[in-house]
């Protein structure tokens, strides 16, 4: 019977030779899943892995690991986004890159390397920002895996995937798997947008970047990093105010390095180097290859389980969704359920539908808020994404926006647009999606 | 994935529909809007929004009515990133000022704008902090060493130098622009 489970369709019988052993997981009943969970051992889960479209965001330290793991797990349709080019300092851990690749885009080089090593796997690179892509682009994928070092980018993709969820379309729900590392520490988490705690709900898990007091930089530098920050924050402003600092421009880094070095000598501080300057200015977080490997492995196993249902994944509603790994004081790992926040600005508070007469005025709407039982607003501030509609505080904005009160709504808003209403009397934000009657 | 969708449909019964291609108010905008709701500005402080639709960028005007800087008009540019409140607002003073905690380029040394920033802090806290720097300059944590030394050495002399800088004079080789508020009937 085992032979029957090895598919021979789509070409040669050796098509899945590389995955003979992992296919056994998919072609035998699972210990913790059954048909009720949607797991039917055999061809179906194998096809799921082959056909799943996976988006990998980031082709750096984590991204290299993630792309390699996904391809070797049998995923065949992968896209990767990264805006960076390869720097010589990446080569120690970003193992898909070689010295000859320095200066080339990470996404392209990583895709080509993995495709060469794993025939049959197609990786489509995009060199650019995640913000370049629209909702239709993200709708193509089944699972999104992030290996990013930026909180801003995480928040953006999180909000985008929450927005994407459309009750008419089951495929609009994209599981988001997020990995992150910092030195010996890391985390992997699974998010089902709108259903479970999202990245915005979990923002308190990221400590704000540690900063040195400005006056320490100006008055008593004690470490080489202080001299670099001084050159970066104070000296650049002073001497090159009209030039926008480009942290990828070697001339700019050299300038900062020289200023920092001179200051360090003045205060008898040693240790300022060009690469330290680059690290401090670009806020490069120390990365350890094996921490990346641990976290990426966990992210990719979750992707595999989600795509195939062969074993329970983390992140299901009411279950653990966050795996924390700490290797800096011995080894500790802990998996827990980070709770969804009811007042999360991204997923907690979905807009209520509000039907309005398009020719009624904004003033009418504000008045109706004062009467609505759930709001009863006294000093509201109202805006859409692009427009400050009416602000009762501060005084200057009130003066600038009160003219809108007499305007008809269809002059200020478009049908279906979202507005956010706040009031000092309420800690929550009221969101409405305005529909014209 | 089928199972998760059936759970989603179950959950959705108690909620209102999500999903739309329209742009949503961003979380930074939401938070700033909330903070603006809760601002309580004294008569000596006002705001100006060059583009009223962009609440992430504004100018704060401070006209102290007591202390060393009484009678001066100082403006601060607030630039709030999309990462607010994870990141503090960036605040710079637009006028050249003789102040121990503000350098000649307008950088402001205020703990909560940097090392002590926490997302629970709001714009009111930042504005109160700036106001405090004008009532009680802190010669210990200096950005302008000459002003700090001056203040530590002789408060009377420091006061005279502050006044002369505000009047558009030259202090220790640095020439300042006049920032004194025009009195009623006086030419600005
Ligand atoms: Zn959330």
């Amino acid at each position: 019977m085992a032979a029957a489970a090895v598919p021979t369709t789509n070409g040669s019988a050796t098509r899945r030779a590389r995955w003979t052993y992992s296919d056994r997981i998919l072609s035998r009943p699972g210990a913790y899943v059954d048909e009720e969970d949607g797991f039917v051992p055999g061809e179906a889960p194998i096809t799921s892995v082959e056909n799943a479209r996976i988006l990998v965001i980031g082709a750096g330290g984590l991204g290299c690991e993630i792309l390699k793991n996904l391809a070797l797990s049998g995923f065949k349709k992968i896209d990767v986004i990264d805006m960076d080019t390869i720097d010589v300092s990446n080569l120690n851990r970003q193992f898909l890159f070689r010295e000859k690749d320095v200066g080339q885009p990470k996404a392209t080089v990583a895709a080509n390397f993995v495709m060469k090593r794993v025939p049959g796997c197609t990786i489509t690179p995009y060199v650019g920002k995640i913000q370049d892509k629209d909702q239709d682009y993200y709708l193509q994928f089944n699972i999104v895996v992030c290996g990013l070092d930026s909180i801003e980018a995480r928040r953006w993709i999180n909000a985008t995937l929450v927005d994407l969820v459309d009750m008419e379309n089951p495929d609009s729900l994209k599981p988001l798997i997020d990995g992150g590392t910092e030195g010996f520490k890391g985390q992997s988490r699974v998010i089902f947008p709108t259903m479970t705690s999202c990245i915005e709900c979990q923002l308190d898990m990221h400590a704000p970047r540690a900063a040195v007091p400005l006056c320490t930089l100006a008055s008593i530098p004690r470490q080489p990093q202080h001299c670099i920050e001084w050159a970066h924050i104070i000296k650049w402003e002073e001497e090159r105010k009209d030039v926008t600092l480009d942290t990828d421009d070697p001339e700019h880094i050299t300038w900062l390095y020289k200023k920092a070095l001179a200051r360090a000598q003045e205060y008898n501080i040693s240790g300022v180097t060009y690469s330290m300057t680059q690290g401090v200015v670009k806020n490069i977080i120390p990365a350890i290859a094996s921490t990346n490997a641990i976290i990426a492995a966990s992210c990719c196993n979750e992707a595999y389980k989600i795509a195939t249902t062969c074993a329970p994944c983390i992140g299901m509603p009411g279950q653990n969704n966050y795996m924390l790994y700490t290797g800096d004081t011995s080894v500790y790992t802990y998996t827990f359920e980070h709770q969804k926040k009811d007042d999360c600005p991204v997923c907690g508070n979905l807009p209520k539908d509000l039907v309005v007469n398009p020719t009624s005025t904004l003033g009418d709407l504000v008045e109706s808020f004062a009467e609505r039982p759930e709001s009863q607003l006294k000093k509201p501030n109202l805006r859409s994404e692009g427009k400050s509609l009416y602000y009762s505080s501060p005084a200057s904005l009130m003066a600038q926006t009160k003219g809108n009160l007499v305007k008809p709504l269809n002059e200020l808003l478009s049908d279906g647009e979202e507005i956010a209403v706040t009031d000092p009397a309420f800690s929550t934000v009221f969101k409405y999606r305005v529909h014209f009657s | 994935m089928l199972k998760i969708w059936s759970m989603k449909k179950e959950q959705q019964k108690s909620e209102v529909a999500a999903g739309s291609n329209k742009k949503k108010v961003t979380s930074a905008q939401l938070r700033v809007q909330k903070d603006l709701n809760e601002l309580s500005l004294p008569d000596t402080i006002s705001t100006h929004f060059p583009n009223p639709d962009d609440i992430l960028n504004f100018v704060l005007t401070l006209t102290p009515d007591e202390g060393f800087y009484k009678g001066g008009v100082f403006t601060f540019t607030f630039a709030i990133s999309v990462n607010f409140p994870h990141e503090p607002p960036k605040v710079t003073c637009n006028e050249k000022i003789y102040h121990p905690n503000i350098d000649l380029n307008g950088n402001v040394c205020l703990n909560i704008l940097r090392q002590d920033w926490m997302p629970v802090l709001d714009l009111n806290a930042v504005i109160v902090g700036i106001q405090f720097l004008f009532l009680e300059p802190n010669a210990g944590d200096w950005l302008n060493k000459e002003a700090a030394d001056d203040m530590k050495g002789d408060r009377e002399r420091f006061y005279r130098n502050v006044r002369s800088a505000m009047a558009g004079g030259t202090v220790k080789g640095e020439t300042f622009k006049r920032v004194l508020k025009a009195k009623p009937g006086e030419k600005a």
Side-chain angles (χ1 to χ4, degrees):
Chain A
M1 272 314 289
V6 178
T8 53
T9 48
N10 293 349
S12 77
T14 58
R15 173 173 73 96
R16 294 199 55 85
R18 187 191 272 270
W19 291 284
T20 302
Y21 298 100
S22 65
D23 278 353
R24 289 193 185 150
I25 295 173
L26 303 181
S27 46
R28 294 170 182 175
Y32 301 98
V33 283
D34 52 32
E35 277 189 36
E36 209 177 285
D37 300 298
F39 183 63
V40 183
E43 179 74 18
I46 293 172
T47 313
S48 295
V49 179
E50 291 196 333
N51 289 341
R53 291 208 49 196
I54 315 285
L55 175 64
V56 175
I57 303 181
L62 272 169
C64 282
E65 290 278 355
I66 290 169
L67 288 168
K68 174 261 290 176
N69 290 349
L70 291 176
L72 292 177
S73 305
F75 287 101
K76 292 194 174 327
K77 297 175 180 171
I78 304 171
D79 284 56
V80 59
I81 300 187
D82 197 301
M83 62 185 291
D84 279 345
T85 51
I86 296 160
D87 186 87
V88 79
S89 66
N90 303 141
L91 300 179
N92 63 356
R93 62 192 183 283
Q94 299 179 16
F95 53 85
L96 302 178
F97 311 141
R98 298 290 174 270
E99 231 173 303
K100 66 172 169 48
D101 303 322
V102 168
Q104 299 294 312
K106 289 185 177 179
T108 317
V109 175
N112 290 339
F113 191 108
V114 175
M115 281 197 285
K116 215 167 119 195
R117 286 292 294 272
V118 189
C121 176
T122 306
I123 304 185
T124 310
Y126 173 71
V127 180
K129 294 165 74 172
I130 51 173
Q131 290 88 346
D132 298 344
K133 298 294 190 182
D134 60 8
Q135 292 206 329
D136 287 341
Y137 174 82
Y138 291 106
L139 267 171
Q140 313 170 69
F141 302 101
N142 301 107
I143 299 174
V144 178
V145 187
C146 287
L148 287 161
D149 56 6
S150 139
I151 291 166
E152 195 183 327
R154 282 195 180 93
R155 288 176 74 184
W156 190 90
I157 189 67
N158 178 61
T160 301
L161 295 183
V162 168
D163 257 11
L164 220 51
V165 178
D166 173 0
M167 278 316 289
E168 307 295 309
N169 175 15
D171 291 334
S172 65
L173 185 78
K174 314 290 179 193
L176 170 61
I177 304 173
D178 177 66
T181 73
E182 195 172 325
F184 284 113
K185 293 185 286 188
Q187 90 276 336
S188 64
R189 47 187 165 174
V190 173
I191 292 153
F192 289 100
T194 72
M195 296 189 70
T196 61
S197 166
C198 78
I199 285 183
E200 199 77 20
C201 295
Q202 301 176 7
L203 211 53
D204 53 0
M205 301 301 289
H206 299 268
R209 182 186 174 189
V212 183
L214 213 51
C215 25
T216 303
L217 301 181
S219 52
I220 35 157
R222 292 182 307 271
Q223 295 169 11
Q225 288 87 351
H226 295 170
C227 300
I228 297 167
E229 284 273 38
W230 169 84
H232 177 200
I233 296 167
I234 296 176
K235 211 62 191 166
W236 184 275
E237 276 291 293
E238 216 168 279
E239 297 186 14
R240 302 188 69 176
K241 206 178 172 66
D242 302 323
V243 187
T244 308
L245 182 69
D246 175 3
T247 55
D248 289 322
D249 185 334
E251 188 272 321
H252 289 186
I253 299 291
T254 305
W255 189 93
L256 293 175
Y257 163 61
K258 285 185 176 155
K259 293 286 174 187
L261 190 64
R263 184 164 173 85
Q265 281 160 354
E266 188 186 328
Y267 285 87
N268 276 321
I269 298 168
S270 59
V272 173
T273 60
Y274 181 86
S275 66
M276 181 192 270
T277 308
Q278 208 176 21
V280 169
V281 172
K282 294 181 82 166
N283 189 25
I284 296 174
I285 295 158
I288 294 178
S290 31
T291 313
N292 284 341
I294 291 166
I295 295 301
S298 141
C299 289
C300 294
N301 279 356
E302 294 312 310
Y304 190 76
K305 291 187 288 178
I306 290 171
T308 61
T309 335
C310 70
C313 61
I314 61 166
M316 295 296 272
Q319 310 272 318
N320 292 342
N321 53 14
Y322 196 113
M323 194 276 285
L324 174 115
Y325 170 85
T326 311
D328 51 355
T329 51
S330 182
V331 173
Y332 177 73
T333 113
Y334 182 59
T335 308
F336 61 99
E337 183 190 2
H338 199 295
Q339 297 283 340
K340 192 169 187 297
K341 284 195 177 144
D342 290 337
D343 61 349
C344 171
V346 170
C347 77
N349 160 9
L350 300 172
K352 290 190 168 64
D353 288 308
L354 181 70
V355 179
V356 298
N357 177 350
T359 55
S360 63
T361 64
L362 180 66
D364 295 337
L365 182 66
V366 171
E367 230 164 83
S368 77
F369 285 139
E371 286 154 15
R372 285 177 78 89
E374 83 270 16
S375 39
Q376 296 187 5
L377 308 175
K378 306 264 179 317
K379 282 185 62 193
N381 282 356
L382 279 78
R383 77 166 304 109
S384 64
E385 192 268 337
K387 208 161 179 55
S388 296
L389 296 167
Y390 174 68
Y391 278 67
S392 45
S393 166
S396 68
L397 263 186
M398 169 141 139
Q400 283 175 293
T401 56
K402 71 180 174 202
N404 288 341
L405 290 174
V406 297
K407 291 185 187 161
L409 291 171
N410 58 11
E411 212 176 280
L412 299 163
L413 292 165
S414 55
D415 194 12
E417 203 166 358
E418 183 188 299
I419 60 169
V421 185
T422 55
D423 188 278
F426 296 92
S427 62
T428 51
V429 176
F430 301 97
K431 292 188 198 167
Y432 298 97
R433 196 180 317 285
V434 176
H435 301 281
F436 291 161
S437 58
Chain B
M1 279 309 293
L2 278 173
K3 189 184 176 193
I4 189 85
W5 188 250
S6 61
M7 290 174 86
K8 171 70 192 166
K9 282 203 284 202
E10 209 42 51
Q11 191 193 54
Q12 194 72 19
K13 283 178 186 158
S14 56
E15 280 176 15
V16 200
S20 155
N21 290 328
K22 296 281 179 188
K23 288 203 161 177
K24 290 177 67 174
V25 181
T26 67
S27 42
Q29 284 176 327
L30 279 180
R31 177 52 198 273
V32 171
Q33 171 165 327
K34 194 108 208 57
D35 282 8
L36 292 175
N37 249 147
E38 267 142 39
L39 275 192
S40 53
L41 300 178
D43 294 343
T44 52
I45 296 179
S46 63
T47 56
H48 170 65
F49 292 76
N51 170 6
D53 291 330
D54 176 9
I55 54 170
L56 301 187
N57 290 284
F58 62 92
V59 177
L60 188 86
T61 303
L62 179 66
T63 51
D65 59 0
E66 54 183 315
F68 294 111
Y69 298 89
K70 182 177 172 177
V73 181
F74 302 96
T75 64
F76 292 85
T77 298
F78 277 62
I80 300 169
S81 83
V82 293
N83 236 358
F84 184 79
H86 189 72
E87 272 173 19
K90 196 167 189 288
V91 179
T92 45
C93 182
N94 299 322
E95 289 76 26
K96 194 170 173 183
I97 181 173
Y98 187 68
H99 191 297
N101 312 112
I102 302 175
D103 71 15
L104 298 175
N105 297 304
N107 291 308
V108 180
C109 184
L110 181 64
N111 61 338
I112 58 169
L113 283 178
R114 224 176 128 74
Q115 72 275 16
D116 293 333
W117 173 256
M118 288 181 291
V120 296
L121 292 170
D122 61 6
L123 291 176
N124 221 16
V126 172
I127 294 171
V128 167
I130 291 172
Q131 200 183 2
F132 187 73
L133 283 184
F134 278 76
L135 293 176
E136 287 289 332
N138 177 359
D141 284 340
W142 53 262
L143 268 191
N144 180 335
K145 188 171 192 319
E146 309 218 294
D149 288 346
D150 198 9
M151 186 177 162
K152 272 188 274 193
D154 180 350
R155 284 176 79 92
E156 267 308 308
R157 188 187 58 213
F158 172 68
Y159 177 73
R160 283 197 304 277
N161 282 336
V162 168
R163 303 311 297 182
S164 109
M166 283 168 58
T170 300
V171 178
K172 298 177 195 285
E174 287 288 345
T175 306
F176 293 80
K177 280 212 182 83
R178 183 183 160 89
V179 294
L180 285 170
K181 189 166 63 176
K183 292 205 184 79
E186 189 187 28
K187 264 197 214 154

